[in-house]
Amino acid sequence: MSRPRSSGIFSGVALIIFGVAFLLHNYRGFEIESLIHWWPVLLIVLGLIKLYERTSGRYEPGAARITAAEIFLVIGLLLLVGIVVGVDTVKGKFPGSHLEFGDFGRNSYDYDLEVEPKPVPPNARIIVRSTRGDITVRSSDDPEIRVSGKKNIRAWSDKEAAQLADRVSVEVVKNGDAYEIHPTGSNTGDSRLGFNMEIVVPKKAQLTIRNEKGDIAVSDIAGPVVIDNHNGDVDVRNTTGDVTIDMRHGDVKVADTKGDIKLAGKGGEVGVTTASGSLTVDGEFYGPIRADKIARGVRYISQRSDLTLSQLSGHLELGSGNLEITDAPGNLQLRTNRYDVDVENVGGKAKIENRDGTVELRFSSPPKDDIDITNANAIISLSLPASSSFEIAADCHSCDIDSDFSGGTLSKTSTGSGDNHLQGKYGTGRAIRITLKTSYGNISLRKTSGDSIQPPAPPHVPKAPRAAEIPEPEEN
């Protein structure tokens, strides 16, 4: 008997792989866009089947050919993945909509949540666990947990919605040394169910919130706050303890907190204002990222940049290829690429490494500590008050150095190959050390009055050779 054609085997394997992935996506939060990176596995599986048929002892003639049905199956599955990823992207942009793949045509129904208040100690450890829905937590002076809100049901009819609503609710239970708030009933992980909860807890409570889809808002909590949210915006205000946020999609706002702030994962916009502690952002956030008045400094880590500020009394903004910092009384250390960097008034040491992006550093008063800037394929511009004292070493490969400062021991030398060097000492006070290095970008050293700083017009920049460079993808 002849061997059966491989299309049935391959189709079965492909449908099993994608079926499992979609199931995990619906019930366990698996990010279906990961399949986009792994789609060549289908070609590997198909190739192995064809190779087996060719090398085995018996096979049906023509069976090892790739059929049109197999090609259309691969294309169809990839289109399906694209549709699901598109739906997830819309949910990431508009998390309050709670749009789900498969919800098209269903209606939304709301039912009241009825939960008995639960007495707890004033400093109780409280954990909120949910799957879908918005969660709002605020504090009270009463030593108890109160939960209200709505059950949101997406169904084809009000009868189906009522049946689903009757099967689920929210409960508050003691679990070890903690009190847990979570949905209860049959199949609470069903994607058709959502729980929009308004929770009141004691002011000194230690709060942890874990949610899959939905916005989270927390205010007026004196204890530490930990938030793990996969899809939705996070808003935290007027807290005393540390704030830790881990997320996958959505925007983050934190304001008026006295503890340290740690943000990790990936998402959209980030806004942090008025923090007595420090701010750490570790992950890929497409921004813009804004921070104002962070007393104990900022640490930002991504695949593209590594920034450390020991203090920020002014403003930081990062996004769309620009990084701006104003009024940082402490030290600054930055390593990045393809950002236009604009920094004004650093109080301590400034060390900046960049590539393919301009660097402008300005001071309204004489700098107090060393300056070290390294760049490539772009300009360096440094503006200092006329009363500054410094010792400089500036090197420009295949570019020019333009300085408003003269006198002292300053001297400029050039080579026949287009390289320029500026070295020497200027001023009579304690001299800081300035080191500037770039290529194909020019160096400008500007003299200002000290009070009013105007950014200099960019000089003519010779284009760097890029024949050997590999283009990099644009940032989102």
Side-chain angles (χ1 to χ4, degrees):
M1 295 179 63
S2 61
R3 182 179 303 276
R5 294 178 62 85
S6 67
S7 59
I9 300 175
F10 172 72
S11 301
V13 172
L15 291 173
I16 289 172
I17 292 174
F18 278 80
V20 170
F22 285 127
L23 186 64
L24 292 174
H25 172 263
N26 283 344
Y27 290 98
R28 290 294 181 266
F30 174 72
E31 295 185 1
I32 202 72
E33 58 262 34
S34 302
L35 286 179
I36 294 178
H37 304 292
W38 291 95
W39 71 265
V41 171
L42 291 177
L43 301 181
I44 295 173
V45 172
L46 180 58
L48 289 173
I49 293 174
K50 300 299 183 183
L51 183 62
Y52 170 74
E53 289 182 343
R54 280 291 186 184
T55 56
S56 61
R58 297 172 58 191
Y59 69 93
E60 179 183 348
R65 297 175 183 172
I66 298 176
T67 66
E70 292 167 342
I71 294 174
F72 281 115
L73 176 64
V74 172
I75 294 174
L77 289 174
L78 292 177
L79 286 175
L80 183 60
V81 171
I83 293 172
V84 176
V85 171
V87 172
D88 285 347
T89 301
V90 172
K91 289 189 294 183
K93 297 287 187 180
F94 308 100
S97 63
H98 304 305
L99 181 64
E100 294 286 346
F101 181 73
D103 278 348
F104 299 104
R106 288 195 176 112
N107 298 314
S108 179
Y109 302 89
D110 289 329
Y111 298 86
D112 290 337
L113 274 173
E114 298 178 0
V115 183
E116 289 291 328
K118 182 79 170 181
V120 297
N123 60 345
R125 190 163 70 93
I126 299 173
I127 301 173
V128 182
R129 299 181 188 271
S130 188
T131 52
R132 293 165 178 82
D134 298 338
I135 300 173
T136 300
V137 182
R138 59 183 177 86
S139 69
S140 168
D141 293 330
D142 299 328
E144 64 179 9
I145 298 174
R146 299 195 300 272
V147 181
S148 60
K150 299 287 185 179
K151 292 180 283 187
N152 179 258
I153 312 296
R154 291 175 293 278
W156 298 108
S157 65
D158 54 356
K159 181 180 179 180
E160 179 189 6
Q163 291 175 347
L164 290 171
D166 289 340
R167 299 172 188 169
V168 294
S169 186
V170 171
E171 65 178 359
V172 183
V173 297
K174 193 173 189 304
N175 188 358
D177 64 344
Y179 292 85
E180 189 167 309
I181 306 168
H182 60 243
T184 183
S186 61
N187 202 16
T188 56
D190 193 324
S191 62
R192 296 172 295 174
L193 306 179
F195 301 89
N196 298 323
M197 293 184 280
E198 297 181 5
I199 304 171
V200 180
V201 301
K203 189 176 185 65
K204 297 181 179 179
Q206 306 170 53
L207 181 64
T208 299
I209 302 175
R210 294 185 174 92
N211 195 24
E212 292 183 11
K213 295 180 176 68
D215 297 343
I216 295 176
V218 177
S219 60
D220 304 312
I221 301 295
V225 176
V226 178
I227 297 174
D228 185 351
N229 197 28
H230 284 198
N231 194 328
D233 296 343
V234 174
D235 191 323
V236 180
R237 298 179 182 274
N238 300 318
T239 58
T240 303
D242 294 342
V243 176
T244 303
I245 302 172
D246 192 350
M247 60 191 306
R248 296 294 175 267
H249 298 282
D251 302 335
V252 178
K253 293 182 180 179
V254 182
D256 301 317
T257 181
K258 296 181 179 179
D260 295 333
I261 304 165
K262 295 181 181 179
L263 172 60
K266 58 184 180 180
E269 296 185 17
V270 176
V272 181
T273 58
T274 316
S276 301
S278 63
L279 168 64
T280 301
V281 180
D282 186 353
E284 304 303 316
F285 294 85
Y286 58 79
I289 299 172
R290 300 184 179 94
D292 292 273
K293 298 179 180 179
I294 312 298
R296 294 178 56 190
V298 177
R299 182 75 195 278
Y300 171 69
I301 308 164
S302 70
Q303 294 180 353
R304 184 171 164 185
S305 303
D306 190 335
L307 168 66
T308 302
L309 291 172
S310 59
Q311 283 181 280
L312 179 66
S313 60
H315 177 72
L316 178 149
E317 183 164 345
L318 186 150
S320 302
N322 296 301
L323 194 163
E324 300 177 5
I325 300 172
T326 304
D327 296 333
N331 298 330
L332 178 153
Q333 185 168 343
L334 170 65
R335 187 180 72 251
T336 189
N337 63 84
R338 292 179 288 117
Y339 271 113
D340 289 335
V341 179
D342 189 308
V343 181
E344 185 172 338
N345 295 332
V346 176
K349 291 182 179 180
K351 181 176 177 61
I352 300 174
E353 298 177 24
N354 195 16
R355 183 180 180 86
D356 300 321
T358 63
V359 176
E360 295 188 19
L361 183 58
R362 305 187 299 276
F363 292 85
S364 60
S365 59
K368 300 176 182 178
D369 219 323
D370 296 345
I371 299 169
D372 187 342
I373 303 175
T374 302
N375 203 359
N377 305 326
I379 69 170
I380 295 175
S381 177
L382 177 61
S383 299
L384 305 172
S387 57
S388 301
S389 296
F390 56 86
E391 184 176 352
I392 188 170
D395 289 287
C396 200
H397 175 63
S398 297
C399 51
D400 194 16
I401 299 176
D402 182 17
S403 175
D404 291 345
F405 291 86
S406 60
T409 61
L410 294 177
S411 69
K412 177 182 174 182
T413 57
S414 302
T415 65
S417 60
D419 295 348
N420 285 273
H421 179 74
L422 176 66
Q423 187 169 0
K425 185 177 180 181
Y426 178 88
T428 58
R430 186 186 72 84
I432 64 166
R433 179 71 178 174
I434 298 177
T435 305
L436 309 175
K437 295 180 182 178
T438 191
S439 58
Y440 307 103
N442 293 350
I443 294 176
S444 297
L445 191 61
R446 296 295 179 223
K447 185 186 296 185
T448 68
S449 61
D451 296 325
S452 171
I453 299 178
Q454 297 295 329
H460 172 71
V461 179
K463 188 176 181 181
R466 296 177 179 269
E469 291 188 6
I470 300 175
E472 296 183 273
E474 294 184 356
E475 293 290 317
N476 290 330

